[in-house]
Amino acid sequence: MNAVDRYTRTAILLHWAIAVMIFVNIVLGIGSGYVPDSWVRPMIDLHKSIGITVLGLVLVRLIWRLTHKPPAFPAGYRPWERRAAHGVHLALYGLILALPITGWIHDSAWSAAASHPLVLFWVIPWFRLGFITHLAPATKHDLHLWFGTIHTACSYALYALLALHIGGALKHQLIDRVPELQRMWR
Ligand code: HEM
């Protein structure tokens, strides 16, 4: 396979760093409901740290995407497959942005936010969203609940899209015998 068919080193690094962090965050988000009470706060704190990091990385990735042309799809892809892949990629960008943003709003509206500062990886003090922290307590209470629900709904949509994304890649790799994974691997 020649170099033109592959994503660049930067795109590959960003793709896998974001993928691993999203996987860990799903495990932490769901897992925090099934662990002893003393584990919940550290797990959620780590979840928030990783989520904010993902937000930064996905913004870098979007800049990369808008300034680089991705490698063309292999010639054998049918038109509907190209459209489906584009659609899933677009929706994944939307969700990977929506998840950290809704989580951050949910956290900024939290009634205990003031007594639980946001410190990324227990080292870097981070800010809550000022336009939310300044709202009236009753409004924040409602926002906290709403955005918790939206955050969870986004995670369900993400599972469906990841199934399509990974299923599509495996179908091309294993059934169509097209070197698909190599496009996103050195
Ligand atoms: C990559 C980004 C993120 C992903 C993939 C993600 C995913 C998830 C998932 C799967 C859950 C469990 C939902 C459920 O089944 O109930 C969850 C919960 C949660 N997330 Fe995130 N999240 C992300 C970013 C963030 C960020 C940036 C914050 C805050 C700064 C955050 C705060 C929370 C909180 C507080 C919960 C617990 C919600 C509750 O039960 O009240 N998340 N997240």
Side-chain angles (χ1 to χ4, degrees):
M1 176 180 281
N2 65 47
V4 181
D5 297 321
R6 257 179 236 274
Y7 280 84
T8 64
R9 190 191 298 263
T10 310
I12 293 173
L13 205 69
L14 284 168
H15 176 275
W16 291 109
I18 292 171
V20 168
M21 289 190 200
I22 285 181
F23 174 75
V24 174
N25 245 15
I26 290 173
V27 172
L28 289 169
I30 297 178
S32 64
Y34 299 90
V35 293
D37 283 353
S38 59
W39 291 25
V40 174
R41 193 54 37 218
M43 279 174 81
I44 293 288
D45 286 347
L46 182 59
H47 176 94
K48 293 176 187 176
S49 305
I50 294 176
I52 297 285
T53 309
V54 167
L55 181 58
L57 290 180
V58 82
L59 292 176
V60 175
R61 178 128 190 243
L62 272 174
I63 293 171
W64 182 94
R65 184 62 181 76
L66 295 173
T67 52
H68 294 74
K69 208 169 145 44
F73 286 126
Y77 284 17
R78 287 169 219 119
W80 72 264
E81 286 180 311
R82 291 162 192 269
R83 279 198 299 274
H86 275 310
V88 169
H89 294 163
L90 200 69
L92 275 172
Y93 275 118
L95 273 177
I96 296 171
L97 273 174
L99 269 153
I101 292 172
T102 55
W104 200 2
I105 296 176
H106 171 67
D107 170 71
S108 300
W110 184 28
S111 58
S115 54
H116 290 81
L118 190 52
V119 182
L120 302 189
F121 304 102
W122 299 279
V123 179
I124 307 164
W126 200 250
F127 60 101
R128 254 87 186 212
L129 298 165
F131 66 96
I132 301 218
T133 51
H134 290 111
L135 294 172
T139 315
K140 283 202 282 191
H141 175 77
D142 290 348
L143 272 183
H144 180 70
L145 293 181
W146 267 105
F147 275 87
T149 305
I150 298 173
H151 190 62
T152 300
C154 287
S155 70
Y156 294 157
L158 181 70
Y159 305 150
L161 279 176
L162 286 181
L164 288 173
H165 183 63
I166 298 168
L170 290 178
K171 182 224 174 228
H172 291 139
Q173 187 83 19
L174 303 176
I175 299 176
D176 302 341
R177 300 257 167 215
V178 179
E180 173 74 48
L181 299 179
Q182 287 84 335
R183 287 159 59 78
M184 204 35 112
W185 196 259
R186 298 305 290 183

